[in-house]
């Protein structure tokens, strides 16, 4: 008997069809990358130690690749990131090897890190690993600056509840998918025993 397919496997197929179609214009890709760099720098500026660590890597270029998408980041003398030109030779290459967006989302909801392949400057890789392990975005603090403490706390609480519900949903689906496999492997009742 064939193992049942995930009810969400159609999302992977849909993503495959979308990414194999026409690519977005270069100006849009650049704008999205620029916004992402602004967000990363915003988060880094909340952690002075992170910026101090990056200052030591000033001028280094890291290229991040996932499927056909890539972005090259240059470390600035201020300990932040800026977009590096496409022709910039990377000191570090980081490739996310899991091509399925659904698998990446499930891993993120479980708190797992994606499968990656790293090549290049070991010290720059160590600093970026430190950033991944220690720098966190405080959504509630940012919202409090704009909305005030009470509304920010309410939104933060709601966001945590949604994240928890998503984790439970994914966990239940993953357990449901594993259960048929376990049932097939489990031995049947022993009818020969006295």
């Amino acid at each position: 008997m064939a193992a049942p397919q995930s009810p969400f496997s159609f999302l992977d197929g849909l993503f495959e069809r979308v990414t194999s179609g026409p690519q977005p214009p270069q100006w849009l890709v650049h704008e999205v990358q620029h916004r992402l760099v602004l967000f990363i720098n915003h988060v880094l500026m909340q952690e002075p130690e992170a910026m101090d660590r990056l200052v030591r890597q000033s001028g280094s270029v890291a290229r991040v690749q996932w499927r056909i998408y890539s972005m090259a980041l240059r470390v600035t003398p201020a300990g932040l990131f800026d977009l590096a030109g496409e022709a910039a030779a990377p000191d570090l290459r980081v490739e996310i090897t899991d091509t399925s967006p659904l698998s990446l989302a499930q891993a993120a909801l479980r708190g797992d890190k994606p499968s990656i392949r790293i090549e290049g400057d070991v010290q720059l890789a160590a600093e970026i690993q430190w950033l991944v392990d220690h720098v966190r975005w405080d959504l509630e603090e940012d919202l409090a600056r704009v909305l005030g403490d009470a509304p920010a706390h309410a939104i933060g609480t709601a966001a945590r509840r949604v994240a928890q519900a998503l984790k439970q949903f994914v966990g239940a689906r993953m357990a449901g998918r594993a259960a048929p496999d376990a049932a097939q492997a489990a031995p049947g009742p022993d009818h020969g025993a006295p």
Side-chain angles (χ1 to χ4, degrees):
M1 180 172 152
Q5 256 188 333
S6 166
F8 301 106
S9 61
F10 75 93
L11 290 176
D12 280 333
L14 177 64
F15 185 79
E16 289 293 330
R17 287 190 297 274
V18 168
T19 57
S20 65
Q23 297 303 311
Q26 191 60 35
W27 65 266
L28 180 61
V29 170
H30 181 73
E31 187 62 27
V32 168
Q33 289 177 346
H34 182 69
R35 301 282 178 179
L36 184 59
V37 169
L38 289 173
F39 173 73
I40 292 169
N41 286 339
H42 168 74
V43 173
L44 288 174
M45 286 189 288
Q46 297 176 21
E47 280 289 335
E49 186 178 351
M51 293 172 58
D52 290 342
R53 294 177 78 98
L54 282 175
V55 164
R56 295 180 252 174
Q57 298 297 324
S58 180
S60 296
V61 174
R63 180 174 301 281
V64 180
Q65 176 88 32
W66 180 64
R67 299 173 60 114
I68 61 170
Y69 308 104
S70 70
M71 183 168 70
L73 300 171
R74 181 178 308 279
V75 180
T76 70
L80 298 171
F81 287 109
D82 194 8
L83 287 175
E86 286 298 317
D91 299 296
L92 178 69
R93 289 180 186 88
V94 178
E95 180 182 358
I96 300 170
T97 57
D98 192 350
T99 60
S100 166
L102 182 60
S103 296
L104 287 173
Q106 289 171 336
L109 288 171
R110 286 190 312 266
D112 297 341
K113 294 178 183 168
S115 302
I116 59 172
R117 184 176 52 156
I118 301 171
E119 298 173 354
D121 185 345
V122 174
Q123 187 60 43
L124 180 57
E127 297 298 355
I128 291 176
Q129 180 63 45
W130 186 92
L131 295 175
V132 169
D133 288 342
H134 294 93
V135 176
R136 298 286 177 252
W137 177 40
D138 190 348
L139 169 66
E140 204 168 304
E141 182 180 323
D142 279 350
L143 287 174
R145 291 179 190 148
V146 177
L147 304 173
D149 289 337
H153 181 69
I155 292 171
T157 301
R160 284 187 290 277
R161 286 183 182 158
V162 167
Q164 184 60 34
L166 285 171
K167 279 184 178 181
Q168 289 173 346
F169 177 77
V170 169
R173 295 298 180 260
M174 295 302 285
R177 192 164 45 171
D181 296 337
Q184 289 175 353
D190 188 7
H191 295 293

